[in-house]
Amino acid sequence: MEGEELDGEEYGLQEEGEEEEEEEEEKALSEQEEEGQVLAPCPLTEEVLKEGLSLLCKTGTGLAHAYVKFEAKYKDLTDISLLECFIHLRYVDLSENKLQDLSPLSSLTHLLWLKVDRNLLTSACMQELPYLQIISFAHNRIKDMEGITHPRLANLSLKGNKIQTALGLSHGQLFSLQILELRGNMLESTAGLSLPKLKNLYLAQNAIRILEGLEGLGQLTTLHLRDNQLETLDGFCSSMKCLRYLNLRNNGISSFQEVAKLQVLPMLQALVLLDNPCSDEPNYRLEVLVLLPHLQRLDKELFEQDEQVEANEIRQKRQEEEKEMEGSLQGDVTE
């Protein structure tokens, strides 16, 4: 049980790849699901339970067999108390229901994978589950990130919720988290997201104006900040030594002086700046390459060799001019 590792893509929680260009259109919740409405009770029944159970496996002792997978989607469920007895379940999908309470899952201590997309949850808080590795809470009504404490959690999706701050994240318990999906929330800052093992962080379609608290992201390789409200790029730091891919599409970056602040990222290879004001400037690609000589790709297009040669020549010329200017200024001071 302890050694079982999951592949996020194998079980349907695909991480957003760097080639993904178009964001999926999200359907709105129906009027019948508006907050405050009294829901008609619809508990999980034995009939639905039997329909949804599958994947017969040996139990932990190896002396018996039990179903370890359960799926019940589009059932309008409001109560899943019947699941409390099925302690051997490892994979559970309860998406597209009307759940507001996940407490019956507390007894499922062998759970590895949980998907509860498009329910009516207002909190992601759950009893700590020792083996849980992948969770998707996408498109609920979750307002904060408190109470997520599963020690083996590696992949967490909270996209399409109403989260305004990440400051409630339990850094001490989430030491295994590698993929965090927060696209389509209401974040205004990156404060609170400093998770030491995090590799992929997806923050597109928020309202982020301030980059802060990024210094602890020493293993981050991919950062998506598309469709936010960034006008400056303060906040990046040299401790982000593994960051290779950065998507800043459709923000408010107007100056190459801001782009120059990305020079602190030693491994940055791919950058997306489309739909920022600076991308309309003359010689845009060349100017970015002059500032970031290690960059291999801008806006999905590889730099050609002739572009690299020209950028090197311009960079050397500007460095020489700066040295001459410094020398001239020192001479004036001496006189």
Side-chain angles (χ1 to χ4, degrees):
M1 188 67 223
E2 280 188 41
E4 188 162 357
E5 295 296 331
L6 294 178
D7 183 335
E9 290 189 89
E10 180 181 353
Y11 289 98
L13 294 183
Q14 294 187 359
E15 58 190 83
E16 181 181 353
E18 64 178 46
E19 296 302 325
E20 182 180 28
E21 191 60 33
E22 297 300 328
E23 305 293 348
E24 63 178 12
E25 293 184 2
E26 309 297 0
K27 62 182 180 182
L29 290 171
S30 66
E31 292 182 5
Q32 288 75 26
E33 293 179 344
E34 287 298 328
E35 290 185 46
Q37 183 191 359
V38 177
L39 296 172
C42 184
L44 178 62
T45 63
E46 289 190 7
E47 182 181 358
V48 173
L49 185 62
K50 289 176 182 177
E51 288 176 0
L53 287 170
S54 63
L55 196 58
L56 195 63
C57 294
K58 285 185 178 181
T59 60
T61 63
L63 301 176
H65 288 77
Y67 288 109
V68 300
K69 185 175 182 181
F70 178 67
E71 179 179 304
K73 299 164 66 175
Y74 300 99
K75 304 294 185 182
D76 289 336
L77 297 176
T78 60
D79 183 347
I80 52 171
S81 298
L82 201 56
L83 283 181
E84 287 178 330
C85 301
F86 288 80
I87 60 172
H88 297 293
L89 286 174
R90 301 177 194 172
Y91 315 103
V92 172
D93 188 349
L94 293 163
S95 301
E96 306 282 357
N97 285 291
K98 296 182 179 179
L99 298 174
Q100 296 176 308
D101 177 23
L102 298 179
S103 59
L105 300 179
S106 299
S107 60
L108 307 187
T109 54
H110 295 284
L111 200 62
L112 299 172
W113 183 94
L114 175 64
K115 192 171 184 180
V116 285
D117 296 353
R118 298 190 187 278
N119 277 278
L120 304 179
L121 300 167
T122 57
S123 172
C125 184
M126 292 176 64
Q127 177 80 21
E128 183 178 305
L129 294 170
Y131 302 115
L132 192 55
Q133 295 173 33
I134 298 174
I135 312 178
S136 181
F137 289 107
H139 307 295
N140 279 276
R141 298 172 177 174
I142 296 167
K143 297 178 180 177
D144 59 53
M145 300 183 67
E146 296 181 2
I148 306 173
T149 59
H150 317 290
R152 283 184 171 81
L153 189 63
N155 185 331
L156 172 62
S157 175
L158 285 157
K159 69 179 178 181
N161 279 282
K162 299 183 178 182
I163 299 169
Q164 297 182 12
T165 177
L167 289 173
L169 206 54
S170 301
H171 300 88
Q173 286 86 1
L174 295 176
F175 39 76
S176 300
L177 194 63
Q178 296 184 18
I179 300 169
L180 179 56
E181 167 66 272
L182 284 165
R183 180 174 28 145
N185 278 279
M186 302 165 67
L187 294 170
E188 296 182 0
S189 162
T190 55
L193 292 172
S194 187
L195 295 158
K197 294 288 184 69
L198 204 62
K199 293 184 178 180
N200 299 333
L201 178 56
Y202 304 108
L203 298 170
Q205 297 173 337
N206 277 276
I208 297 172
R209 298 174 179 271
I210 301 171
L211 298 174
E212 54 187 333
L214 301 179
E215 57 276 356
L217 295 173
Q219 293 192 29
L220 195 71
T221 62
T222 299
L223 177 56
H224 281 244
L225 284 160
R226 175 178 175 169
D227 299 326
N228 277 285
Q229 299 175 23
L230 293 168
E231 295 182 357
T232 67
L233 294 178
D234 299 309
F236 290 104
C237 47
S238 57
S239 61
M240 302 176 75
K241 57 185 181 298
C242 294
L243 189 63
R244 292 178 172 83
Y245 177 85
L246 176 60
N247 191 330
L248 292 165
R249 182 171 184 170
N250 194 29
N251 277 273
I253 310 302
S254 58
S255 157
F256 289 124
Q257 290 179 322
E258 296 303 320
V259 177
K261 294 174 182 177
L262 301 179
Q263 291 170 347
V264 298
L265 302 173
M267 296 298 292
L268 188 64
Q269 296 176 0
L271 176 65
V272 181
L273 282 170
L274 277 174
D275 301 325
N276 281 275
C278 66
S279 66
D280 295 326
E281 292 293 319
N283 300 317
Y284 155 64
R285 284 180 59 84
L286 196 58
E287 288 295 334
V288 171
L289 188 55
V290 169
L291 293 169
L292 305 173
H294 298 297
L295 208 61
Q296 296 180 8
R297 189 170 57 186
L298 179 63
D299 302 336
K300 311 296 183 184
E301 292 185 17
L302 287 168
F303 283 109
E304 301 292 340
Q305 187 173 359
D306 58 342
E307 289 181 294
Q308 294 172 339
V309 169
E310 187 175 359
N312 285 334
E313 291 174 352
I314 294 172
R315 191 182 311 108
Q316 290 174 0
K317 183 178 179 182
R318 290 179 182 175
Q319 289 172 348
E320 290 170 2
E321 290 174 351
E322 286 176 9
K323 287 181 181 178
E324 289 178 8
M325 184 68 71
E326 288 175 6
S328 176
L329 290 173
Q330 288 177 352
D332 291 343
V333 171
T334 304
E335 289 179 8

